Amino acid sequence: MEAYYYGYPILSKDAADWLINFNLKGFGIDTISVDSVDSTDFMNHRKFLKNNIILIENLKNLNGVRHKYFEFYVLPLNIKGADGSPVRAIARLTDE
């Protein structure tokens, strides 16, 4: 369990800066966070959210999404007063 919370790959400052230059509505990642578990400033979180880019973390089973085109749906729970939510993430494979 310790390995799950520590040692996962995170985005570098340069990678986060590069990504926010695209016209993204959201950014999904297959690790538990875009920042390290011991972060105190949450630099990557702040950078994405400041640019109105929604973060979708801890995605699973991404090997099935190796197509060039797909529609991606994220269905969060409506939790009053929360700053985040568990989601149902769905990829619909398409031809274009």
Side-chain angles (χ1 to χ4, degrees), residues 23-84:
N23 186 24
L24 300 176
K25 293 182 181 181
F27 174 73
I29 193 164
D30 63 349
T31 64
I32 63 172
S33 180
V34 293
D35 288 298
S36 67
V37 72
D38 55 0
S39 175
T40 58
D41 64 358
F42 300 99
M43 178 182 59
N44 288 332
H45 276 86
R46 288 196 333 244
K47 192 172 294 193
F48 283 106
L49 296 174
K50 177 181 168 185
N51 287 280
N52 295 315
I53 299 172
I54 296 169
L55 293 170
I56 307 109
E57 298 166 322
N58 214 23
L59 291 169
K60 300 294 179 208
N61 301 321
L62 296 179
N63 288 336
V65 188
R66 294 193 179 266
H67 293 265
K68 186 172 183 178
Y69 299 102
F70 60 91
E71 295 172 356
F72 184 61
Y73 301 91
V74 180
L75 310 169
L77 299 174
N78 186 10
I79 303 173
K80 187 175 182 174
D83 66 353

Side-chain angles (χ1 to χ4, degrees), residues 38 87 90:
D38 55 0
V87 302
I90 301 167

Side-chain angles (χ1 to χ4, degrees), residues 1-10 31-32 35-38:
M1 187 61 111
E2 186 80 11
Y4 178 76
Y5 291 107
Y6 294 94
Y8 58 87
I10 60 169
T31 64
I32 63 172
D35 288 298
S36 67
V37 72
D38 55 0

